[in-house]
Amino acid sequence: MALRTIRTMGDPVLEKRAKEVTEMTERLKTLIGDMLETMYEENGVGLAAPQVGVLKRIVVIDVSEERNEPHVLINPVITETEGEQTGYEGCLSVPGKVGMVTRPERVVCRALDENMQEVTLEGTELLGRAIAHELDHLEGRLYVSLVEGELVDADSTEPDEEEVEE
Ligand code: NI
């Protein structure tokens, strides 16, 4: 496995729609391993393939404190949402910044896992936010287009306010 370079805002790859995965290949297995390694290295809670320059519908997410609950979602589709949550959100592709974003409180998502088996992932709070954020990346949409007010420096927010890098 290897670390991949994270593309940052302004890179056109972040604004394109990613393509469906039709079969699992050695190359994609390597990509998924690298995405997990890169997400953990950067202390992110999620990473989408376009963020490392690959226009495939693959995301990885881990919102656990222990960093030991990875979710791999291939061709993910949100099937259900409920409620709202508003809070600071960040993105590894927009380093050093956060912004206030409203997302569903609860999100249910259907996808394939790394073995191309169907999985359902349900998330509330941070996991719900992460699913919604990462799936937006697959549409070429960055959270900055959803921010209420201005982007602010990540270190200017109160330490007890929730902020996450995805
Ligand atoms: Ni992001």
Side-chain angles (χ1 to χ4, degrees):
M1 294 203 294
L3 295 175
R4 303 264 177 142
T5 303
I6 296 182
R7 308 298 182 91
T8 53
M9 191 165 62
D11 189 319
V13 77
L14 294 173
E15 293 167 16
K16 294 188 171 133
R17 185 180 186 276
K19 304 236 170 18
E20 270 76 17
V21 173
T22 53
E23 61 172 340
M24 186 46 58
T25 60
E26 286 306 314
R27 198 180 165 91
L28 289 182
K29 281 182 194 165
T30 302
L31 169 68
I32 291 166
D34 290 354
M35 285 172 63
L36 285 165
E37 191 178 344
T38 304
M39 173 182 73
Y40 289 129
E41 172 70 19
E42 299 292 333
N43 285 315
V45 301
L47 191 67
Q51 291 183 275
V52 294
V54 180
L55 283 170
K56 295 281 186 189
R57 302 184 80 78
I58 302 174
V59 309
V60 296
I61 294 174
D62 188 343
V63 300
S64 69
E65 292 269 323
E66 300 76 19
R67 317 298 282 146
N68 60 2
E69 290 173 35
H71 300 285
V72 176
L73 302 174
I74 297 170
N75 302 340
V77 177
I78 290 177
T79 56
E80 218 180 307
T81 63
E82 190 183 336
E84 273 189 356
Q85 56 175 317
T86 300
Y88 278 116
E89 191 167 308
C91 179
L92 294 173
S93 294
V94 190
K97 299 287 183 186
V98 294
M100 198 60 85
V101 180
T102 298
R103 299 281 191 186
E105 168 58 24
R106 174 175 166 269
V107 176
V108 182
C109 163
R110 283 186 62 183
L112 301 172
D113 66 12
E114 63 272 38
N115 301 310
M116 299 299 268
Q117 300 298 306
E118 281 194 25
V119 288
T120 300
L121 179 63
E122 176 177 344
T124 59
E125 301 176 7
L126 180 53
L127 182 54
R129 177 179 292 281
I131 295 169
H133 177 113
E134 298 313 330
L135 267 62
D136 271 356
H137 275 297
L138 303 182
E139 300 305 320
R141 191 159 54 231
L142 292 178
Y143 85 95
V144 296
S145 65
L146 303 174
V147 165
E148 297 151 35
E150 301 289 319
L151 282 184
V152 296
D153 290 336
D155 57 14
S156 70
T157 57
E158 295 294 317
D160 61 335
E161 287 180 272
E162 182 184 321
E163 55 186 65
V164 292
E165 302 279 337
E166 301 167 297

mmCIF file with all atom_site columns, all heavy atoms in Angstrom, residues 46-48 51 89-94 133-134 137 141-143 165-166, ligand 1:
data_model
loop_
_atom_site.group_PDB
_atom_site.id
_atom_site.type_symbol
_atom_site.label_atom_id
_atom_site.label_alt_id
_atom_site.label_comp_id
_atom_site.label_asym_id
_atom_site.label_entity_id
_atom_site.label_seq_id
_atom_site.pdbx_PDB_ins_code
_atom_site.Cartn_x
_atom_site.Cartn_y
_atom_site.Cartn_z
_atom_site.occupancy
_atom_site.B_iso_or_equiv
_atom_site.pdbx_formal_charge
_atom_site.auth_seq_id
_atom_site.auth_comp_id
_atom_site.auth_asym_id
_atom_site.auth_atom_id
_atom_site.pdbx_PDB_model_num
ATOM   1   N  N   . GLY A 1 46  ? -13.180 10.350 6.247  1.00 0.00 ? 46  GLY A N   1
ATOM   2   C  CA  . GLY A 1 46  ? -13.641 9.792  4.989  1.00 0.00 ? 46  GLY A CA  1
ATOM   3   C  C   . GLY A 1 46  ? -12.807 10.300 3.842  1.00 0.00 ? 46  GLY A C   1
ATOM   4   O  O   . GLY A 1 46  ? -12.120 11.329 3.960  1.00 0.00 ? 46  GLY A O   1
ATOM   5   N  N   . LEU A 1 47  ? -12.841 9.553  2.749  1.00 0.00 ? 47  LEU A N   1
ATOM   6   C  CA  . LEU A 1 47  ? -12.099 9.955  1.554  1.00 0.00 ? 47  LEU A CA  1
ATOM   7   C  C   . LEU A 1 47  ? -12.801 9.348  0.344  1.00 0.00 ? 47  LEU A C   1
ATOM   8   O  O   . LEU A 1 47  ? -13.204 8.179  0.375  1.00 0.00 ? 47  LEU A O   1
ATOM   9   C  CB  . LEU A 1 47  ? -10.649 9.443  1.642  1.00 0.00 ? 47  LEU A CB  1
ATOM   10  C  CG  . LEU A 1 47  ? -9.657  9.974  0.619  1.00 0.00 ? 47  LEU A CG  1
ATOM   11  C  CD1 . LEU A 1 47  ? -9.376  11.468 0.814  1.00 0.00 ? 47  LEU A CD1 1
ATOM   12  C  CD2 . LEU A 1 47  ? -8.342  9.195  0.708  1.00 0.00 ? 47  LEU A CD2 1
ATOM   13  N  N   . ALA A 1 48  ? -12.933 10.133 -0.695 1.00 0.00 ? 48  ALA A N   1
ATOM   14  C  CA  . ALA A 1 48  ? -13.568 9.662  -1.927 1.00 0.00 ? 48  ALA A CA  1
ATOM   15  C  C   . ALA A 1 48  ? -12.501 9.563  -3.019 1.00 0.00 ? 48  ALA A C   1
ATOM   16  O  O   . ALA A 1 48  ? -11.551 10.352 -3.042 1.00 0.00 ? 48  ALA A O   1
ATOM   17  C  CB  . ALA A 1 48  ? -14.667 10.636 -2.352 1.00 0.00 ? 48  ALA A CB  1
ATOM   18  N  N   . GLN A 1 51  ? -10.813 12.427 -4.788 1.00 0.00 ? 51  GLN A N   1
ATOM   19  C  CA  . GLN A 1 51  ? -9.859  13.218 -4.002 1.00 0.00 ? 51  GLN A CA  1
ATOM   20  C  C   . GLN A 1 51  ? -8.423  12.756 -4.192 1.00 0.00 ? 51  GLN A C   1
ATOM   21  O  O   . GLN A 1 51  ? -7.489  13.471 -3.847 1.00 0.00 ? 51  GLN A O   1
ATOM   22  C  CB  . GLN A 1 51  ? -10.214 13.166 -2.509 1.00 0.00 ? 51  GLN A CB  1
ATOM   23  C  CG  . GLN A 1 51  ? -11.500 13.904 -2.173 1.00 0.00 ? 51  GLN A CG  1
ATOM   24  C  CD  . GLN A 1 51  ? -11.755 13.868 -0.682 1.00 0.00 ? 51  GLN A CD  1
ATOM   25  O  OE1 . GLN A 1 51  ? -12.324 12.911 -0.169 1.00 0.00 ? 51  GLN A OE1 1
ATOM   26  N  NE2 . GLN A 1 51  ? -11.330 14.907 0.034  1.00 0.00 ? 51  GLN A NE2 1
ATOM   27  N  N   . GLU A 1 89  ? -18.018 21.516 9.191  1.00 0.00 ? 89  GLU A N   1
ATOM   28  C  CA  . GLU A 1 89  ? -17.559 20.416 8.363  1.00 0.00 ? 89  GLU A CA  1
ATOM   29  C  C   . GLU A 1 89  ? -16.296 20.866 7.659  1.00 0.00 ? 89  GLU A C   1
ATOM   30  O  O   . GLU A 1 89  ? -16.147 22.032 7.313  1.00 0.00 ? 89  GLU A O   1
ATOM   31  C  CB  . GLU A 1 89  ? -18.671 20.113 7.346  1.00 0.00 ? 89  GLU A CB  1
ATOM   32  C  CG  . GLU A 1 89  ? -18.500 18.852 6.584  1.00 0.00 ? 89  GLU A CG  1
ATOM   33  C  CD  . GLU A 1 89  ? -19.809 18.485 5.847  1.00 0.00 ? 89  GLU A CD  1
ATOM   34  O  OE1 . GLU A 1 89  ? -20.879 18.432 6.485  1.00 0.00 ? 89  GLU A OE1 1
ATOM   35  O  OE2 . GLU A 1 89  ? -19.727 18.272 4.637  1.00 0.00 ? 89  GLU A OE2 1
ATOM   36  N  N   . GLY A 1 90  ? -15.379 19.942 7.480  1.00 0.00 ? 90  GLY A N   1
ATOM   37  C  CA  . GLY A 1 90  ? -14.167 20.249 6.743  1.00 0.00 ? 90  GLY A CA  1
ATOM   38  C  C   . GLY A 1 90  ? -13.933 19.192 5.697  1.00 0.00 ? 90  GLY A C   1
ATOM   39  O  O   . GLY A 1 90  ? -14.712 18.248 5.563  1.00 0.00 ? 90  GLY A O   1
ATOM   40  N  N   . CYS A 1 91  ? -12.869 19.349 4.935  1.00 0.00 ? 91  CYS A N   1
ATOM   41  C  CA  . CYS A 1 91  ? -12.583 18.414 3.850  1.00 0.00 ? 91  CYS A CA  1
ATOM   42  C  C   . CYS A 1 91  ? -11.087 18.394 3.623  1.00 0.00 ? 91  CYS A C   1
ATOM   43  O  O   . CYS A 1 91  ? -10.441 19.443 3.609  1.00 0.00 ? 91  CYS A O   1
ATOM   44  C  CB  . CYS A 1 91  ? -13.306 18.877 2.585  1.00 0.00 ? 91  CYS A CB  1
ATOM   45  S  SG  . CYS A 1 91  ? -13.023 17.822 1.156  1.00 0.00 ? 91  CYS A SG  1
ATOM   46  N  N   . LEU A 1 92  ? -10.528 17.203 3.439  1.00 0.00 ? 92  LEU A N   1
ATOM   47  C  CA  . LEU A 1 92  ? -9.091  17.089 3.204  1.00 0.00 ? 92  LEU A CA  1
ATOM   48  C  C   . LEU A 1 92  ? -8.683  17.802 1.916  1.00 0.00 ? 92  LEU A C   1
ATOM   49  O  O   . LEU A 1 92  ? -7.514  18.160 1.754  1.00 0.00 ? 92  LEU A O   1
ATOM   50  C  CB  . LEU A 1 92  ? -8.674  15.615 3.147  1.00 0.00 ? 92  LEU A CB  1
ATOM   51  C  CG  . LEU A 1 92  ? -8.818  14.845 4.472  1.00 0.00 ? 92  LEU A CG  1
ATOM   52  C  CD1 . LEU A 1 92  ? -8.553  13.362 4.259  1.00 0.00 ? 92  LEU A CD1 1
ATOM   53  C  CD2 . LEU A 1 92  ? -7.894  15.412 5.551  1.00 0.00 ? 92  LEU A CD2 1
ATOM   54  N  N   . SER A 1 93  ? -9.642  18.045 1.037  1.00 0.00 ? 93  SER A N   1
ATOM   55  C  CA  . SER A 1 93  ? -9.352  18.760 -0.207 1.00 0.00 ? 93  SER A CA  1
ATOM   56  C  C   . SER A 1 93  ? -9.457  20.278 -0.053 1.00 0.00 ? 93  SER A C   1
ATOM   57  O  O   . SER A 1 93  ? -9.217  21.011 -1.010 1.00 0.00 ? 93  SER A O   1
ATOM   58  C  CB  . SER A 1 93  ? -10.290 18.288 -1.333 1.00 0.00 ? 93  SER A CB  1
ATOM   59  O  OG  . SER A 1 93  ? -10.012 16.934 -1.649 1.00 0.00 ? 93  SER A OG  1
ATOM   60  N  N   . VAL A 1 94  ? -9.853  20.724 1.144  1.00 0.00 ? 94  VAL A N   1
ATOM   61  C  CA  . VAL A 1 94  ? -9.937  22.157 1.437  1.00 0.00 ? 94  VAL A CA  1
ATOM   62  C  C   . VAL A 1 94  ? -9.194  22.374 2.753  1.00 0.00 ? 94  VAL A C   1
ATOM   63  O  O   . VAL A 1 94  ? -9.795  22.647 3.792  1.00 0.00 ? 94  VAL A O   1
ATOM   64  C  CB  . VAL A 1 94  ? -11.407 22.632 1.545  1.00 0.00 ? 94  VAL A CB  1
ATOM   65  C  CG1 . VAL A 1 94  ? -11.489 24.153 1.603  1.00 0.00 ? 94  VAL A CG1 1
ATOM   66  C  CG2 . VAL A 1 94  ? -12.257 22.102 0.389  1.00 0.00 ? 94  VAL A CG2 1
ATOM   67  N  N   . HIS A 1 133 ? -21.416 13.704 2.808  1.00 0.00 ? 133 HIS A N   1
ATOM   68  C  CA  . HIS A 1 133 ? -20.272 14.472 2.303  1.00 0.00 ? 133 HIS A CA  1
ATOM   69  C  C   . HIS A 1 133 ? -19.503 13.690 1.238  1.00 0.00 ? 133 HIS A C   1
ATOM   70  O  O   . HIS A 1 133 ? -19.188 14.218 0.171  1.00 0.00 ? 133 HIS A O   1
ATOM   71  C  CB  . HIS A 1 133 ? -19.364 14.822 3.495  1.00 0.00 ? 133 HIS A CB  1
ATOM   72  C  CG  . HIS A 1 133 ? -18.100 15.542 3.132  1.00 0.00 ? 133 HIS A CG  1
ATOM   73  N  ND1 . HIS A 1 133 ? -17.855 16.847 3.497  1.00 0.00 ? 133 HIS A ND1 1
ATOM   74  C  CD2 . HIS A 1 133 ? -16.998 15.134 2.450  1.00 0.00 ? 133 HIS A CD2 1
ATOM   75  C  CE1 . HIS A 1 133 ? -16.657 17.213 3.034  1.00 0.00 ? 133 HIS A CE1 1
ATOM   76  N  NE2 . HIS A 1 133 ? -16.112 16.190 2.407  1.00 0.00 ? 133 HIS A NE2 1
ATOM   77  N  N   . GLU A 1 134 ? -19.212 12.424 1.534  1.00 0.00 ? 134 GLU A N   1
ATOM   78  C  CA  . GLU A 1 134 ? -18.406 11.630 0.588  1.00 0.00 ? 134 GLU A CA  1
ATOM   79  C  C   . GLU A 1 134 ? -19.167 11.355 -0.704 1.00 0.00 ? 134 GLU A C   1
ATOM   80  O  O   . GLU A 1 134 ? -18.585 11.383 -1.795 1.00 0.00 ? 134 GLU A O   1
ATOM   81  C  CB  . GLU A 1 134 ? -17.971 10.303 1.223  1.00 0.00 ? 134 GLU A CB  1
ATOM   82  C  CG  . GLU A 1 134 ? -17.084 10.423 2.455  1.00 0.00 ? 134 GLU A CG  1
ATOM   83  C  CD  . GLU A 1 134 ? -15.929 11.391 2.305  1.00 0.00 ? 134 GLU A CD  1
ATOM   84  O  OE1 . GLU A 1 134 ? -15.410 11.577 1.184  1.00 0.00 ? 134 GLU A OE1 1
ATOM   85  O  OE2 . GLU A 1 134 ? -15.549 11.993 3.318  1.00 0.00 ? 134 GLU A OE2 1
ATOM   86  N  N   . HIS A 1 137 ? -18.873 14.071 -3.143 1.00 0.00 ? 137 HIS A N   1
ATOM   87  C  CA  . HIS A 1 137 ? -17.619 14.076 -3.917 1.00 0.00 ? 137 HIS A CA  1
ATOM   88  C  C   . HIS A 1 137 ? -17.787 13.293 -5.221 1.00 0.00 ? 137 HIS A C   1
ATOM   89  O  O   . HIS A 1 137 ? -17.182 13.638 -6.236 1.00 0.00 ? 137 HIS A O   1
ATOM   90  C  CB  . HIS A 1 137 ? -16.484 13.430 -3.108 1.00 0.00 ? 137 HIS A CB  1
ATOM   91  C  CG  . HIS A 1 137 ? -15.784 14.368 -2.172 1.00 0.00 ? 137 HIS A CG  1
ATOM   92  N  ND1 . HIS A 1 137 ? -15.089 15.473 -2.594 1.00 0.00 ? 137 HIS A ND1 1
ATOM   93  C  CD2 . HIS A 1 137 ? -15.654 14.346 -0.820 1.00 0.00 ? 137 HIS A CD2 1
ATOM   94  C  CE1 . HIS A 1 137 ? -14.562 16.104 -1.544 1.00 0.00 ? 137 HIS A CE1 1
ATOM   95  N  NE2 . HIS A 1 137 ? -14.894 15.434 -0.449 1.00 0.00 ? 137 HIS A NE2 1
ATOM   96  N  N   . ARG A 1 141 ? -19.143 17.488 -6.237 1.00 0.00 ? 141 ARG A N   1
ATOM   97  C  CA  . ARG A 1 141 ? -19.641 18.591 -5.410 1.00 0.00 ? 141 ARG A CA  1
ATOM   98  C  C   . ARG A 1 141 ? -18.845 18.679 -4.115 1.00 0.00 ? 141 ARG A C   1
ATOM   99  O  O   . ARG A 1 141 ? -18.729 17.688 -3.392 1.00 0.00 ? 141 ARG A O   1
ATOM   100 C  CB  . ARG A 1 141 ? -21.121 18.353 -5.101 1.00 0.00 ? 141 ARG A CB  1
ATOM   101 C  CG  . ARG A 1 141 ? -21.850 19.512 -4.477 1.00 0.00 ? 141 ARG A CG  1
ATOM   102 C  CD  . ARG A 1 141 ? -23.360 19.379 -4.674 1.00 0.00 ? 141 ARG A CD  1
ATOM   103 N  NE  . ARG A 1 141 ? -23.871 18.101 -4.198 1.00 0.00 ? 141 ARG A NE  1
ATOM   104 C  CZ  . ARG A 1 141 ? -24.653 17.284 -4.911 1.00 0.00 ? 141 ARG A CZ  1
ATOM   105 N  NH1 . ARG A 1 141 ? -25.013 17.594 -6.131 1.00 0.00 ? 141 ARG A NH1 1
ATOM   106 N  NH2 . ARG A 1 141 ? -25.061 16.146 -4.405 1.00 0.00 ? 141 ARG A NH2 1
ATOM   107 N  N   . LEU A 1 142 ? -18.309 19.846 -3.851 1.00 0.00 ? 142 LEU A N   1
ATOM   108 C  CA  . LEU A 1 142 ? -17.578 20.072 -2.600 1.00 0.00 ? 142 LEU A CA  1
ATOM   109 C  C   . LEU A 1 142 ? -18.504 20.729 -1.578 1.00 0.00 ? 142 LEU A C   1
ATOM   110 O  O   . LEU A 1 142 ? -19.418 21.461 -1.943 1.00 0.00 ? 142 LEU A O   1
ATOM   111 C  CB  . LEU A 1 142 ? -16.378 20.984 -2.838 1.00 0.00 ? 142 LEU A CB  1
ATOM   112 C  CG  . LEU A 1 142 ? -15.244 20.397 -3.688 1.00 0.00 ? 142 LEU A CG  1
ATOM   113 C  CD1 . LEU A 1 142 ? -14.139 21.440 -3.887 1.00 0.00 ? 142 LEU A CD1 1
ATOM   114 C  CD2 . LEU A 1 142 ? -14.670 19.149 -3.029 1.00 0.00 ? 142 LEU A CD2 1
ATOM   115 N  N   . TYR A 1 143 ? -18.208 20.493 -0.299 1.00 0.00 ? 143 TYR A N   1
ATOM   116 C  CA  . TYR A 1 143 ? -19.080 21.038 0.748  1.00 0.00 ? 143 TYR A CA  1
ATOM   117 C  C   . TYR A 1 143 ? -19.113 22.559 0.734  1.00 0.00 ? 143 TYR A C   1
ATOM   118 O  O   . TYR A 1 143 ? -20.067 23.159 1.234  1.00 0.00 ? 143 TYR A O   1
ATOM   119 C  CB  . TYR A 1 143 ? -18.647 20.513 2.125  1.00 0.00 ? 143 TYR A CB  1
ATOM   120 C  CG  . TYR A 1 143 ? -17.538 21.301 2.772  1.00 0.00 ? 143 TYR A CG  1
ATOM   121 C  CD1 . TYR A 1 143 ? -17.816 22.312 3.688  1.00 0.00 ? 143 TYR A CD1 1
ATOM   122 C  CD2 . TYR A 1 143 ? -16.211 21.062 2.446  1.00 0.00 ? 143 TYR A CD2 1
ATOM   123 C  CE1 . TYR A 1 143 ? -16.803 23.057 4.279  1.00 0.00 ? 143 TYR A CE1 1
ATOM   124 C  CE2 . TYR A 1 143 ? -15.191 21.807 3.030  1.00 0.00 ? 143 TYR A CE2 1
ATOM   125 C  CZ  . TYR A 1 143 ? -15.492 22.803 3.938  1.00 0.00 ? 143 TYR A CZ  1
ATOM   126 O  OH  . TYR A 1 143 ? -14.494 23.546 4.497  1.00 0.00 ? 143 TYR A OH  1
ATOM   127 N  N   . GLU A 1 165 ? -12.714 16.363 9.117  1.00 0.00 ? 165 GLU A N   1
ATOM   128 C  CA  . GLU A 1 165 ? -12.104 16.467 7.790  1.00 0.00 ? 165 GLU A CA  1
ATOM   129 C  C   . GLU A 1 165 ? -12.494 15.235 6.999  1.00 0.00 ? 165 GLU A C   1
ATOM   130 O  O   . GLU A 1 165 ? -12.307 14.111 7.459  1.00 0.00 ? 165 GLU A O   1
ATOM   131 C  CB  . GLU A 1 165 ? -10.576 16.503 7.917  1.00 0.00 ? 165 GLU A CB  1
ATOM   132 C  CG  . GLU A 1 165 ? -10.050 17.631 8.762  1.00 0.00 ? 165 GLU A CG  1
ATOM   133 C  CD  . GLU A 1 165 ? -9.979  18.948 8.008  1.00 0.00 ? 165 GLU A CD  1
ATOM   134 O  OE1 . GLU A 1 165 ? -9.921  18.917 6.765  1.00 0.00 ? 165 GLU A OE1 1
ATOM   135 O  OE2 . GLU A 1 165 ? -9.990  19.987 8.666  1.00 0.00 ? 165 GLU A OE2 1
ATOM   136 N  N   . GLU A 1 166 ? -13.062 15.437 5.815  1.00 0.00 ? 166 GLU A N   1
ATOM   137 C  CA  . GLU A 1 166 ? -13.548 14.313 5.038  1.00 0.00 ? 166 GLU A CA  1
ATOM   138 C  C   . GLU A 1 166 ? -12.985 14.360 3.633  1.00 0.00 ? 166 GLU A C   1
ATOM   139 O  O   . GLU A 1 166 ? -12.809 15.405 3.089  1.00 0.00 ? 166 GLU A O   1
ATOM   140 C  CB  . GLU A 1 166 ? -15.069 14.319 5.001  1.00 0.00 ? 166 GLU A CB  1
ATOM   141 C  CG  . GLU A 1 166 ? -15.617 14.248 6.416  1.00 0.00 ? 166 GLU A CG  1
ATOM   142 C  CD  . GLU A 1 166 ? -17.089 14.550 6.474  1.00 0.00 ? 166 GLU A CD  1
ATOM   143 O  OE1 . GLU A 1 166 ? -17.480 15.659 6.144  1.00 0.00 ? 166 GLU A OE1 1
ATOM   144 O  OE2 . GLU A 1 166 ? -17.839 13.689 6.883  1.00 0.00 ? 166 GLU A OE2 1
HETATM 145 NI NI  . NI  B 2 .   ? -14.272 15.968 1.463  1.00 0.00 ? 1   NI  B NI  1
#
